[in-house]
mmCIF file with all atom_site columns, all heavy atoms in Angstrom:
data_model
loop_
_atom_site.group_PDB
_atom_site.id
_atom_site.type_symbol
_atom_site.label_atom_id
_atom_site.label_alt_id
_atom_site.label_comp_id
_atom_site.label_asym_id
_atom_site.label_entity_id
_atom_site.label_seq_id
_atom_site.pdbx_PDB_ins_code
_atom_site.Cartn_x
_atom_site.Cartn_y
_atom_site.Cartn_z
_atom_site.occupancy
_atom_site.B_iso_or_equiv
_atom_site.pdbx_formal_charge
_atom_site.auth_seq_id
_atom_site.auth_comp_id
_atom_site.auth_asym_id
_atom_site.auth_atom_id
_atom_site.pdbx_PDB_model_num
ATOM 1   N N   . THR A 1 1  ? 92.486 105.792 92.321  1.00 96.00 ? 1  THR A N   1
ATOM 2   C CA  . THR A 1 1  ? 91.763 104.778 93.088  1.00 96.00 ? 1  THR A CA  1
ATOM 3   C C   . THR A 1 1  ? 92.754 103.734 93.589  1.00 96.00 ? 1  THR A C   1
ATOM 4   O O   . THR A 1 1  ? 93.522 103.172 92.816  1.00 96.00 ? 1  THR A O   1
ATOM 5   C CB  . THR A 1 1  ? 90.674 104.117 92.234  1.00 96.00 ? 1  THR A CB  1
ATOM 6   O OG1 . THR A 1 1  ? 89.742 105.128 91.836  1.00 96.00 ? 1  THR A OG1 1
ATOM 7   C CG2 . THR A 1 1  ? 89.938 103.035 93.010  1.00 96.00 ? 1  THR A CG2 1
ATOM 8   N N   . ILE A 1 2  ? 92.713 103.490 94.899  1.00 95.00 ? 2  ILE A N   1
ATOM 9   C CA  . ILE A 1 2  ? 93.649 102.572 95.541  1.00 95.00 ? 2  ILE A CA  1
ATOM 10  C C   . ILE A 1 2  ? 92.976 101.265 95.925  1.00 95.00 ? 2  ILE A C   1
ATOM 11  O O   . ILE A 1 2  ? 93.533 100.194 95.737  1.00 95.00 ? 2  ILE A O   1
ATOM 12  C CB  . ILE A 1 2  ? 94.229 103.237 96.804  1.00 95.00 ? 2  ILE A CB  1
ATOM 13  C CG1 . ILE A 1 2  ? 94.998 104.448 96.376  1.00 95.00 ? 2  ILE A CG1 1
ATOM 14  C CG2 . ILE A 1 2  ? 95.016 102.260 97.635  1.00 95.00 ? 2  ILE A CG2 1
ATOM 15  C CD1 . ILE A 1 2  ? 96.003 104.970 97.278  1.00 95.00 ? 2  ILE A CD1 1
ATOM 16  N N   . GLY A 1 3  ? 91.800 101.344 96.513  1.00 94.00 ? 3  GLY A N   1
ATOM 17  C CA  . GLY A 1 3  ? 91.112 100.156 97.003  1.00 94.00 ? 3  GLY A CA  1
ATOM 18  C C   . GLY A 1 3  ? 89.611 100.313 96.910  1.00 94.00 ? 3  GLY A C   1
ATOM 19  O O   . GLY A 1 3  ? 89.095 101.380 96.566  1.00 94.00 ? 3  GLY A O   1
ATOM 20  N N   . ASN A 1 4  ? 88.912 99.233  97.227  1.00 94.00 ? 4  ASN A N   1
ATOM 21  C CA  . ASN A 1 4  ? 87.450 99.222  97.171  1.00 94.00 ? 4  ASN A CA  1
ATOM 22  C C   . ASN A 1 4  ? 86.861 99.059  98.557  1.00 94.00 ? 4  ASN A C   1
ATOM 23  O O   . ASN A 1 4  ? 87.394 98.306  99.380  1.00 94.00 ? 4  ASN A O   1
ATOM 24  C CB  . ASN A 1 4  ? 86.959 98.058  96.309  1.00 94.00 ? 4  ASN A CB  1
ATOM 25  C CG  . ASN A 1 4  ? 87.377 98.202  94.874  1.00 94.00 ? 4  ASN A CG  1
ATOM 26  O OD1 . ASN A 1 4  ? 87.235 99.261  94.284  1.00 94.00 ? 4  ASN A OD1 1
ATOM 27  N ND2 . ASN A 1 4  ? 87.904 97.138  94.308  1.00 94.00 ? 4  ASN A ND2 1
ATOM 28  N N   . LEU A 1 5  ? 85.748 99.727  98.792  1.00 94.00 ? 5  LEU A N   1
ATOM 29  C CA  . LEU A 1 5  ? 84.953 99.476  99.983  1.00 94.00 ? 5  LEU A CA  1
ATOM 30  C C   . LEU A 1 5  ? 84.051 98.295  99.663  1.00 94.00 ? 5  LEU A C   1
ATOM 31  O O   . LEU A 1 5  ? 83.539 98.180  98.543  1.00 94.00 ? 5  LEU A O   1
ATOM 32  C CB  . LEU A 1 5  ? 84.108 100.696 100.334 1.00 94.00 ? 5  LEU A CB  1
ATOM 33  C CG  . LEU A 1 5  ? 84.894 101.929 100.802 1.00 94.00 ? 5  LEU A CG  1
ATOM 34  C CD1 . LEU A 1 5  ? 84.016 103.160 100.769 1.00 94.00 ? 5  LEU A CD1 1
ATOM 35  C CD2 . LEU A 1 5  ? 85.447 101.703 102.186 1.00 94.00 ? 5  LEU A CD2 1
ATOM 36  N N   . THR A 1 6  ? 83.878 97.400  100.606 1.00 93.00 ? 6  THR A N   1
ATOM 37  C CA  . THR A 1 6  ? 83.059 96.214  100.391 1.00 93.00 ? 6  THR A CA  1
ATOM 38  C C   . THR A 1 6  ? 81.856 96.229  101.325 1.00 93.00 ? 6  THR A C   1
ATOM 39  O O   . THR A 1 6  ? 81.858 96.900  102.347 1.00 93.00 ? 6  THR A O   1
ATOM 40  C CB  . THR A 1 6  ? 83.871 94.921  100.617 1.00 93.00 ? 6  THR A CB  1
ATOM 41  O OG1 . THR A 1 6  ? 84.362 94.912  101.962 1.00 93.00 ? 6  THR A OG1 1
ATOM 42  C CG2 . THR A 1 6  ? 85.028 94.820  99.643  1.00 93.00 ? 6  THR A CG2 1
ATOM 43  N N   . GLY A 1 7  ? 80.858 95.467  100.972 1.00 92.00 ? 7  GLY A N   1
ATOM 44  C CA  . GLY A 1 7  ? 79.642 95.374  101.773 1.00 92.00 ? 7  GLY A CA  1
ATOM 45  C C   . GLY A 1 7  ? 78.437 95.332  100.867 1.00 92.00 ? 7  GLY A C   1
ATOM 46  O O   . GLY A 1 7  ? 78.514 94.858  99.732  1.00 92.00 ? 7  GLY A O   1
ATOM 47  N N   . LEU A 1 8  ? 77.339 95.858  101.341 1.00 87.00 ? 8  LEU A N   1
ATOM 48  C CA  . LEU A 1 8  ? 76.100 95.877  100.564 1.00 87.00 ? 8  LEU A CA  1
ATOM 49  C C   . LEU A 1 8  ? 76.265 96.687  99.292  1.00 87.00 ? 8  LEU A C   1
ATOM 50  O O   . LEU A 1 8  ? 77.020 97.661  99.262  1.00 87.00 ? 8  LEU A O   1
ATOM 51  C CB  . LEU A 1 8  ? 74.966 96.478  101.388 1.00 87.00 ? 8  LEU A CB  1
ATOM 52  C CG  . LEU A 1 8  ? 74.536 95.705  102.635 1.00 87.00 ? 8  LEU A CG  1
ATOM 53  C CD1 . LEU A 1 8  ? 73.497 96.511  103.407 1.00 87.00 ? 8  LEU A CD1 1
ATOM 54  C CD2 . LEU A 1 8  ? 73.986 94.355  102.253 1.00 87.00 ? 8  LEU A CD2 1
ATOM 55  N N   . THR A 1 9  ? 75.558 96.304  98.259  1.00 91.00 ? 9  THR A N   1
ATOM 56  C CA  . THR A 1 9  ? 75.576 97.068  97.014  1.00 91.00 ? 9  THR A CA  1
ATOM 57  C C   . THR A 1 9  ? 74.268 97.813  96.798  1.00 91.00 ? 9  THR A C   1
ATOM 58  O O   . THR A 1 9  ? 74.127 98.551  95.841  1.00 91.00 ? 9  THR A O   1
ATOM 59  C CB  . THR A 1 9  ? 75.841 96.151  95.797  1.00 91.00 ? 9  THR A CB  1
ATOM 60  O OG1 . THR A 1 9  ? 74.827 95.148  95.747  1.00 91.00 ? 9  THR A OG1 1
ATOM 61  C CG2 . THR A 1 9  ? 77.215 95.511  95.891  1.00 91.00 ? 9  THR A CG2 1
ATOM 62  N N   . ARG A 1 10 ? 73.313 97.623  97.713  1.00 92.00 ? 10 ARG A N   1
ATOM 63  C CA  . ARG A 1 10 ? 72.023 98.306  97.628  1.00 92.00 ? 10 ARG A CA  1
ATOM 64  C C   . ARG A 1 10 ? 71.652 98.772  99.034  1.00 92.00 ? 10 ARG A C   1
ATOM 65  O O   . ARG A 1 10 ? 71.821 98.037  100.000 1.00 92.00 ? 10 ARG A O   1
ATOM 66  C CB  . ARG A 1 10 ? 70.956 97.358  97.096  1.00 92.00 ? 10 ARG A CB  1
ATOM 67  C CG  . ARG A 1 10 ? 69.653 98.027  96.826  1.00 92.00 ? 10 ARG A CG  1
ATOM 68  C CD  . ARG A 1 10 ? 69.246 97.783  95.361  1.00 92.00 ? 10 ARG A CD  1
ATOM 69  N NE  . ARG A 1 10 ? 68.011 98.439  95.044  1.00 92.00 ? 10 ARG A NE  1
ATOM 70  C CZ  . ARG A 1 10 ? 67.948 99.548  94.339  1.00 92.00 ? 10 ARG A CZ  1
ATOM 71  N NH1 . ARG A 1 10 ? 69.027 100.106 93.878  1.00 92.00 ? 10 ARG A NH1 1
ATOM 72  N NH2 . ARG A 1 10 ? 66.789 100.100 94.061  1.00 92.00 ? 10 ARG A NH2 1
ATOM 73  N N   . ALA A 1 11 ? 71.172 99.999  99.143  1.00 92.00 ? 11 ALA A N   1
ATOM 74  C CA  . ALA A 1 11 ? 70.793 100.561 100.435 1.00 92.00 ? 11 ALA A CA  1
ATOM 75  C C   . ALA A 1 11 ? 69.357 101.061 100.383 1.00 92.00 ? 11 ALA A C   1
ATOM 76  O O   . ALA A 1 11 ? 68.938 101.643 99.381  1.00 92.00 ? 11 ALA A O   1
ATOM 77  C CB  . ALA A 1 11 ? 71.721 101.715 100.797 1.00 92.00 ? 11 ALA A CB  1
ATOM 78  N N   . ALA A 1 12 ? 68.631 100.822 101.447 1.00 91.00 ? 12 ALA A N   1
ATOM 79  C CA  . ALA A 1 12 ? 67.252 101.300 101.557 1.00 91.00 ? 12 ALA A CA  1
ATOM 80  C C   . ALA A 1 12 ? 67.239 102.683 102.199 1.00 91.00 ? 12 ALA A C   1
ATOM 81  O O   . ALA A 1 12 ? 68.094 103.007 103.020 1.00 91.00 ? 12 ALA A O   1
ATOM 82  C CB  . ALA A 1 12 ? 66.435 100.327 102.401 1.00 91.00 ? 12 ALA A CB  1
ATOM 83  N N   . SER A 1 13 ? 66.268 103.479 101.836 1.00 90.00 ? 13 SER A N   1
ATOM 84  C CA  . SER A 1 13 ? 66.133 104.825 102.366 1.00 90.00 ? 13 SER A CA  1
ATOM 85  C C   . SER A 1 13 ? 66.009 104.805 103.889 1.00 90.00 ? 13 SER A C   1
ATOM 86  O O   . SER A 1 13 ? 65.237 104.023 104.446 1.00 90.00 ? 13 SER A O   1
ATOM 87  C CB  . SER A 1 13 ? 64.894 105.486 101.771 1.00 90.00 ? 13 SER A CB  1
ATOM 88  O OG  . SER A 1 13 ? 64.702 106.762 102.320 1.00 90.00 ? 13 SER A OG  1
ATOM 89  N N   . GLY A 1 14 ? 66.794 105.649 104.539 1.00 87.00 ? 14 GLY A N   1
ATOM 90  C CA  . GLY A 1 14 ? 66.693 105.814 105.987 1.00 87.00 ? 14 GLY A CA  1
ATOM 91  C C   . GLY A 1 14 ? 67.337 104.737 106.832 1.00 87.00 ? 14 GLY A C   1
ATOM 92  O O   . GLY A 1 14 ? 67.247 104.801 108.050 1.00 87.00 ? 14 GLY A O   1
ATOM 93  N N   . THR A 1 15 ? 67.959 103.752 106.231 1.00 87.00 ? 15 THR A N   1
ATOM 94  C CA  . THR A 1 15 ? 68.615 102.710 107.028 1.00 87.00 ? 15 THR A CA  1
ATOM 95  C C   . THR A 1 15 ? 70.122 102.929 107.039 1.00 87.00 ? 15 THR A C   1
ATOM 96  O O   . THR A 1 15 ? 70.707 103.399 106.064 1.00 87.00 ? 15 THR A O   1
ATOM 97  C CB  . THR A 1 15 ? 68.322 101.297 106.487 1.00 87.00 ? 15 THR A CB  1
ATOM 98  O OG1 . THR A 1 15 ? 68.812 101.192 105.156 1.00 87.00 ? 15 THR A OG1 1
ATOM 99  C CG2 . THR A 1 15 ? 66.842 101.002 106.510 1.00 87.00 ? 15 THR A CG2 1
ATOM 100 N N   . MET A 1 16 ? 70.753 102.588 108.160 1.00 90.00 ? 16 MET A N   1
ATOM 101 C CA  . MET A 1 16 ? 72.198 102.720 108.286 1.00 90.00 ? 16 MET A CA  1
ATOM 102 C C   . MET A 1 16 ? 72.865 101.660 107.414 1.00 90.00 ? 16 MET A C   1
ATOM 103 O O   . MET A 1 16 ? 72.526 100.490 107.480 1.00 90.00 ? 16 MET A O   1
ATOM 104 C CB  . MET A 1 16 ? 72.616 102.539 109.751 1.00 90.00 ? 16 MET A CB  1
ATOM 105 C CG  . MET A 1 16 ? 74.083 102.773 110.000 1.00 90.00 ? 16 MET A CG  1
ATOM 106 S SD  . MET A 1 16 ? 74.640 104.459 109.675 1.00 90.00 ? 16 MET A SD  1
ATOM 107 C CE  . MET A 1 16 ? 73.842 105.350 110.983 1.00 90.00 ? 16 MET A CE  1
ATOM 108 N N   . THR A 1 17 ? 73.781 102.080 106.571 1.00 92.00 ? 17 THR A N   1
ATOM 109 C CA  . THR A 1 17 ? 74.523 101.187 105.688 1.00 92.00 ? 17 THR A CA  1
ATOM 110 C C   . THR A 1 17 ? 75.994 101.257 106.068 1.00 92.00 ? 17 THR A C   1
ATOM 111 O O   . THR A 1 17 ? 76.499 102.331 106.388 1.00 92.00 ? 17 THR A O   1
ATOM 112 C CB  . THR A 1 17 ? 74.344 101.616 104.217 1.00 92.00 ? 17 THR A CB  1
ATOM 113 O OG1 . THR A 1 17 ? 72.948 101.568 103.903 1.00 92.00 ? 17 THR A OG1 1
ATOM 114 C CG2 . THR A 1 17 ? 75.101 100.700 103.276 1.00 92.00 ? 17 THR A CG2 1
ATOM 115 N N   . THR A 1 18 ? 76.677 100.125 106.045 1.00 92.00 ? 18 THR A N   1
ATOM 116 C CA  . THR A 1 18 ? 78.093 100.081 106.396 1.00 92.00 ? 18 THR A CA  1
ATOM 117 C C   . THR A 1 18 ? 78.891 99.456  105.265 1.00 92.00 ? 18 THR A C   1
ATOM 118 O O   . THR A 1 18 ? 78.531 98.395  104.761 1.00 92.00 ? 18 THR A O   1
ATOM 119 C CB  . THR A 1 18 ? 78.310 99.245  107.682 1.00 92.00 ? 18 THR A CB  1
ATOM 120 O OG1 . THR A 1 18 ? 77.560 99.825  108.755 1.00 92.00 ? 18 THR A OG1 1
ATOM 121 C CG2 . THR A 1 18 ? 79.784 99.208  108.067 1.00 92.00 ? 18 THR A CG2 1
ATOM 122 N N   . LEU A 1 19 ? 79.954 100.145 104.869 1.00 94.00 ? 19 LEU A N   1
ATOM 123 C CA  . LEU A 1 19 ? 80.927 99.607  103.922 1.00 94.00 ? 19 LEU A CA  1
ATOM 124 C C   . LEU A 1 19 ? 82.260 99.505  104.656 1.00 94.00 ? 19 LEU A C   1
ATOM 125 O O   . LEU A 1 19 ? 82.527 100.283 105.570 1.00 94.00 ? 19 LEU A O   1
ATOM 126 C CB  . LEU A 1 19 ? 81.069 100.517 102.692 1.00 94.00 ? 19 LEU A CB  1
ATOM 127 C CG  . LEU A 1 19 ? 79.828 100.667 101.822 1.00 94.00 ? 19 LEU A CG  1
ATOM 128 C CD1 . LEU A 1 19 ? 80.109 101.648 100.685 1.00 94.00 ? 19 LEU A CD1 1
ATOM 129 C CD2 . LEU A 1 19 ? 79.384 99.327  101.265 1.00 94.00 ? 19 LEU A CD2 1
ATOM 130 N N   . ARG A 1 20 ? 83.116 98.574  104.239 1.00 93.00 ? 20 ARG A N   1
ATOM 131 C CA  . ARG A 1 20 ? 84.370 98.339  104.945 1.00 93.00 ? 20 ARG A CA  1
ATOM 132 C C   . ARG A 1 20 ? 85.548 98.349  103.977 1.00 93.00 ? 20 ARG A C   1
ATOM 133 O O   . ARG A 1 20 ? 85.447 97.889  102.854 1.00 93.00 ? 20 ARG A O   1
ATOM 134 C CB  . ARG A 1 20 ? 84.298 96.992  105.651 1.00 93.00 ? 20 ARG A CB  1
ATOM 135 C CG  . ARG A 1 20 ? 85.577 96.625  106.346 1.00 93.00 ? 20 ARG A CG  1
ATOM 136 C CD  . ARG A 1 20 ? 85.342 95.742  107.558 1.00 93.00 ? 20 ARG A CD  1
ATOM 137 N NE  . ARG A 1 20 ? 86.592 95.297  108.134 1.00 93.00 ? 20 ARG A NE  1
ATOM 138 C CZ  . ARG A 1 20 ? 87.442 96.040  108.806 1.00 93.00 ? 20 ARG A CZ  1
ATOM 139 N NH1 . ARG A 1 20 ? 87.199 97.308  109.008 1.00 93.00 ? 20 ARG A NH1 1
ATOM 140 N NH2 . ARG A 1 20 ? 88.557 95.555  109.304 1.00 93.00 ? 20 ARG A NH2 1
ATOM 141 N N   . TRP A 1 21 ? 86.688 98.858  104.476 1.00 92.00 ? 21 TRP A N   1
ATOM 142 C CA  . TRP A 1 21 ? 87.952 98.782  103.750 1.00 92.00 ? 21 TRP A CA  1
ATOM 143 C C   . TRP A 1 21 ? 88.940 98.038  104.623 1.00 92.00 ? 21 TRP A C   1
ATOM 144 O O   . TRP A 1 21 ? 89.097 98.346  105.807 1.00 92.00 ? 21 TRP A O   1
ATOM 145 C CB  . TRP A 1 21 ? 88.483 100.166 103.423 1.00 92.00 ? 21 TRP A CB  1
ATOM 146 C CG  . TRP A 1 21 ? 89.760 100.144 102.639 1.00 92.00 ? 21 TRP A CG  1
ATOM 147 C CD1 . TRP A 1 21 ? 90.032 99.393  101.533 1.00 92.00 ? 21 TRP A CD1 1
ATOM 148 C CD2 . TRP A 1 21 ? 90.935 100.912 102.886 1.00 92.00 ? 21 TRP A CD2 1
ATOM 149 N NE1 . TRP A 1 21 ? 91.304 99.649  101.074 1.00 92.00 ? 21 TRP A NE1 1
ATOM 150 C CE2 . TRP A 1 21 ? 91.883 100.583 101.892 1.00 92.00 ? 21 TRP A CE2 1
ATOM 151 C CE3 . TRP A 1 21 ? 91.291 101.845 103.848 1.00 92.00 ? 21 TRP A CE3 1
ATOM 152 C CZ2 . TRP A 1 21 ? 93.142 101.158 101.834 1.00 92.00 ? 21 TRP A CZ2 1
ATOM 153 C CZ3 . TRP A 1 21 ? 92.542 102.422 103.784 1.00 92.00 ? 21 TRP A CZ3 1
ATOM 154 C CH2 . TRP A 1 21 ? 93.450 102.076 102.788 1.00 92.00 ? 21 TRP A CH2 1
ATOM 155 N N   . ASP A 1 22 ? 89.606 97.039  104.054 1.00 90.00 ? 22 ASP A N   1
ATOM 156 C CA  . ASP A 1 22 ? 90.544 96.217  104.819 1.00 90.00 ? 22 ASP A CA  1
ATOM 157 C C   . ASP A 1 22 ? 91.963 96.769  104.855 1.00 90.00 ? 22 ASP A C   1
ATOM 158 O O   . ASP A 1 22 ? 92.867 96.162  105.404 1.00 90.00 ? 22 ASP A O   1
ATOM 159 C CB  . ASP A 1 22 ? 90.559 94.778  104.281 1.00 90.00 ? 22 ASP A CB  1
ATOM 160 C CG  . ASP A 1 22 ? 91.032 94.682  102.835 1.00 90.00 ? 22 ASP A CG  1
ATOM 161 O OD1 . ASP A 1 22 ? 91.416 95.713  102.235 1.00 90.00 ? 22 ASP A OD1 1
ATOM 162 O OD2 . ASP A 1 22 ? 90.991 93.559  102.296 1.00 90.00 ? 22 ASP A OD2 1
ATOM 163 N N   . GLY A 1 23 ? 92.188 97.946  104.271 1.00 89.00 ? 23 GLY A N   1
ATOM 164 C CA  . GLY A 1 23 ? 93.510 98.553  104.287 1.00 89.00 ? 23 GLY A CA  1
ATOM 165 C C   . GLY A 1 23 ? 94.427 98.042  103.189 1.00 89.00 ? 23 GLY A C   1
ATOM 166 O O   . GLY A 1 23 ? 95.629 98.271  103.219 1.00 89.00 ? 23 GLY A O   1
ATOM 167 N N   . LYS A 1 24 ? 93.852 97.345  102.207 1.00 91.00 ? 24 LYS A N   1
ATOM 168 C CA  . LYS A 1 24 ? 94.651 96.785  101.116 1.00 91.00 ? 24 LYS A CA  1
ATOM 169 C C   . LYS A 1 24 ? 94.282 97.422  99.786  1.00 91.00 ? 24 LYS A C   1
ATOM 170 O O   . LYS A 1 24 ? 93.169 97.897  99.587  1.00 91.00 ? 24 LYS A O   1
ATOM 171 C CB  . LYS A 1 24 ? 94.447 95.277  101.035 1.00 91.00 ? 24 LYS A CB  1
ATOM 172 C CG  . LYS A 1 24 ? 94.953 94.551  102.271 1.00 91.00 ? 24 LYS A CG  1
ATOM 173 C CD  . LYS A 1 24 ? 94.760 93.062  102.145 1.00 91.00 ? 24 LYS A CD  1
ATOM 174 C CE  . LYS A 1 24 ? 95.238 92.358  103.411 1.00 91.00 ? 24 LYS A CE  1
ATOM 175 N NZ  . LYS A 1 24 ? 94.999 90.915  103.337 1.00 91.00 ? 24 LYS A NZ  1
ATOM 176 N N   . SER A 1 25 ? 95.243 97.383  98.856  1.00 92.00 ? 25 SER A N   1
ATOM 177 C CA  . SER A 1 25 ? 95.020 97.904  97.515  1.00 92.00 ? 25 SER A CA  1
ATOM 178 C C   . SER A 1 25 ? 94.154 96.933  96.728  1.00 92.00 ? 25 SER A C   1
ATOM 179 O O   . SER A 1 25 ? 93.891 95.813  97.175  1.00 92.00 ? 25 SER A O   1
ATOM 180 C CB  . SER A 1 25 ? 96.352 98.100  96.799  1.00 92.00 ? 25 SER A CB  1
ATOM 181 O OG  . SER A 1 25 ? 96.928 96.835  96.515  1.00 92.00 ? 25 SER A OG  1
ATOM 182 N N   . ARG A 1 26 ? 93.765 97.333  95.543  1.00 92.00 ? 26 ARG A N   1
ATOM 183 C CA  . ARG A 1 26 ? 92.982 96.450  94.671  1.00 92.00 ? 26 ARG A CA  1
ATOM 184 C C   . ARG A 1 26 ? 93.734 95.169  94.336  1.00 92.00 ? 26 ARG A C   1
ATOM 185 O O   . ARG A 1 26 ? 93.127 94.134  94.082  1.00 92.00 ? 26 ARG A O   1
ATOM 186 C CB  . ARG A 1 26 ? 92.610 97.173  93.380  1.00 92.00 ? 26 ARG A CB  1
ATOM 187 C CG  . ARG A 1 26 ? 91.540 98.211  93.575  1.00 92.00 ? 26 ARG A CG  1
ATOM 188 C CD  . ARG A 1 26 ? 91.225 98.878  92.264  1.00 92.00 ? 26 ARG A CD  1
ATOM 189 N NE  . ARG A 1 26 ? 89.914 99.497  92.335  1.00 92.00 ? 26 ARG A NE  1
ATOM 190 C CZ  . ARG A 1 26 ? 89.370 100.151 91.346  1.00 92.00 ? 26 ARG A CZ  1
ATOM 191 N NH1 . ARG A 1 26 ? 90.012 100.281 90.195  1.00 92.00 ? 26 ARG A NH1 1
ATOM 192 N NH2 . ARG A 1 26 ? 88.178 100.685 91.480  1.00 92.00 ? 26 ARG A NH2 1
ATOM 193 N N   . SER A 1 27 ? 95.067 95.222  94.330  1.00 94.00 ? 27 SER A N   1
ATOM 194 C CA  . SER A 1 27 ? 95.870 94.033  94.023  1.00 94.00 ? 27 SER A CA  1
ATOM 195 C C   . SER A 1 27 ? 96.105 93.162  95.257  1.00 94.00 ? 27 SER A C   1
ATOM 196 O O   . SER A 1 27 ? 96.692 92.093  95.144  1.00 94.00 ? 27 SER A O   1
ATOM 197 C CB  . SER A 1 27 ? 97.212 94.442  93.415  1.00 94.00 ? 27 SER A CB  1
ATOM 198 O OG  . SER A 1 27 ? 97.983 95.151  94.372  1.00 94.00 ? 27 SER A OG  1
ATOM 199 N N   . GLY A 1 28 ? 95.663 93.625  96.422  1.00 92.00 ? 28 GLY A N   1
ATOM 200 C CA  . GLY A 1 28 ? 95.780 92.837  97.643  1.00 92.00 ? 28 GLY A CA  1
ATOM 201 C C   . GLY A 1 28 ? 96.963 93.171  98.519  1.00 92.00 ? 28 GLY A C   1
ATOM 202 O O   . GLY A 1 28 ? 97.134 92.585  99.583  1.00 92.00 ? 28 GLY A O   1
#
């Protein structure tokens, strides 16, 4: 594991959910 995707932590059925990665490791 290198980095985390960020964004919503809960998604509703049938809705578009977006997570983002800033290109950085967990240490920044």
Side-chain angles (χ1 to χ4, degrees):
T1 299
I2 297 201
N4 295 313
L5 292 165
T6 60
L8 295 174
T9 58
R10 187 124 181 104
S13 177
T15 61
M16 185 64 69
T17 301
T18 301
L19 296 177
R20 177 151 174 72
W21 182 47
D22 62 3
K24 296 181 182 177
S25 69
R26 287 180 159 180
S27 65

